Amino acid sequence: NTTAGDIVIDETDGLTLAAVATQGGNGNIDVDADGNVVVGGTVSANGSGNVNVTAAANGSVTVNAVVTSTTGNVTLEAADGIALNQPINIVGNVTLSANTDADLVGTTELNTGNVNAVSGAIVDFNGPVLVSQQAIIIGTTSVDFDSEIAGGGYDLTITSPITGFHGDVTGVGTLTTDAAGVPTIDTAAV
């Protein structure tokens, strides 16, 4: 798409995205699949266009390539898990929602190979998070973890003026929050 308008992909089973881009205007990219979605090539929305990827029907989202927007938001939703194998670093909001079907299957796994795993204005993790590497999460406005965080001894650093922990934090090496920020901890175990 080189001028304007949205790109909408509605798939009845799983799919692999080789590359999807809006190169003009502020068009959104909306991908809905009743199965697994693999991001194998860059997915990029121009201007204030948003990127929304949903894997329903026990599907998962695997991010193996760049997912970005110039100034828009990125939302990844999976009935089961999200494997974040590539960092998401944008100026807009980032929402990662794993286990949307609430069957207790699936996490958002941070395994990007880059310590700067996720950055955006508002960064929301809806569903469990698995820390599989040392990771830094940056939210210029806020970072919120709506569920538990588990790790294999890896350090997790949160840099944000407001950080919320609403589930247990276990197995993380060192958990560090921005000294200038305000963490809210309403969980049984940290």
Side-chain angles (χ1 to χ4, degrees):
N1 183 341
T2 58
T3 55
D6 297 340
I7 295 175
V8 177
I9 300 170
D10 192 2
E11 179 60 45
T12 58
D13 54 13
L15 74 128
T16 297
L17 300 171
V20 180
T22 57
Q23 299 171 340
N26 296 305
N28 298 321
I29 298 173
D30 294 308
V31 178
D32 290 302
D34 286 337
N36 297 331
V37 177
V38 176
V39 178
T42 299
V43 175
S44 175
N46 188 64
S48 62
N50 299 316
V51 175
N52 304 297
V53 177
T54 302
N58 294 323
S60 61
V61 175
T62 302
V63 179
N64 293 329
V66 172
V67 176
T68 190
S69 174
T70 309
T71 60
N73 305 316
V74 170
T75 301
L76 305 179
E77 295 181 344
D80 286 343
I82 298 172
L84 199 58
N85 300 323
Q86 179 76 26
I88 295 178
N89 295 300
I90 64 172
V91 297
N93 301 329
V94 179
T95 303
L96 304 172
S97 300
N99 189 34
T100 59
D101 60 5
D103 67 358
L104 303 179
V105 175
T107 63
T108 296
E109 181 178 8
L110 302 177
N111 192 24
T112 65
N114 182 326
V115 71
N116 294 313
V118 179
S119 64
I122 297 172
V123 177
D124 284 326
F125 290 91
N126 302 314
V129 174
L130 176 61
V131 181
S132 296
Q133 67 168 54
Q134 178 182 355
I136 297 172
I137 309 296
I138 300 170
T140 56
T141 302
S142 66
V143 174
D144 198 58
F145 296 91
D146 287 344
S147 191
E148 64 269 11
I149 302 170
Y154 296 100
D155 295 345
L156 178 61
T157 301
I158 314 299
T159 302
S160 181
I162 300 171
T163 303
F165 298 97
H166 307 291
D168 293 348
V169 180
T170 58
V172 173
T174 301
L175 176 64
T176 306
T177 61
D178 187 355
V182 177
T184 299
I185 302 172
D186 59 4
T187 180
V190 175

